Amino acid sequence: SLSDKYELHVAMNGFEALEYFSTRSKLPDLVLLDVMMPGMDGFEVLKEIREEKKISPTNLPVIMLSAMEPVDKSLIQSLRAGANDYVTKPFDPDILKARVSTAVEMRRLRKI
């Protein structure tokens, strides 16, 4: 599981996710963001991260997760909104781990 390799912080909805950014001075290495969340969907949270908080995809990779149909529309909307990657649900845990690992490593290399 991801918790074996990474420190995880969980938000149950979009408002909690944004609250995390307001209460921390250091950005996480990556955000896994579900498209469908109560209160505020993942697209709205991503827009807030990218446009209001001015956090670029190179400084904070975001991987969107979704079971939303049609997949193509949701995928395109995610990428246009500033997502770094997109994984459809249900997902293979090994694929998710590989994508997380790649995104975190690319962020690390950009900081060197």
Side-chain angles (χ1 to χ4, degrees):
S1 77
L2 290 174
S3 61
D4 294 340
K5 189 171 181 180
Y6 303 100
E7 178 182 332
L8 303 180
H9 299 266
V10 178
M12 298 309 293
N13 59 55
F15 298 107
E16 284 183 23
L18 293 175
E19 171 101 8
Y20 175 88
F21 291 99
S22 299
T23 60
R24 303 281 193 280
S25 59
K26 184 178 181 245
L27 290 176
D29 292 325
L30 174 118
V31 171
L32 286 175
L33 189 56
D34 199 323
V35 168
M36 294 181 277
M37 295 186 295
M40 176 186 281
D41 70 29
F43 298 123
E44 293 172 292
V45 174
L46 182 58
K47 182 178 180 179
E48 180 79 17
I49 290 170
R50 298 294 188 231
E51 294 178 12
E52 300 301 319
K53 297 194 178 300
K54 307 275 191 241
I55 303 171
S56 74
T58 54
N59 288 330
L60 179 63
V62 174
I63 299 175
M64 300 294 280
L65 305 172
S66 182
M68 194 176 195
E69 296 286 340
V71 170
D72 290 350
K73 182 180 179 196
S74 180
L75 170 78
I76 290 167
Q77 186 176 355
S78 295
L79 295 174
R80 284 187 176 152
N84 298 71
D85 202 350
Y86 183 96
V87 176
T88 57
K89 295 192 304 188
F91 53 82
D92 179 312
D94 290 329
I95 290 173
L96 182 61
K97 284 185 221 173
R99 290 191 173 181
V100 165
S101 178
T102 298
V104 169
E105 182 64 11
M106 288 176 64
R107 180 178 186 250
R108 187 189 70 75
L109 290 171
R110 283 187 188 108
K111 288 183 162 188
I112 295 176

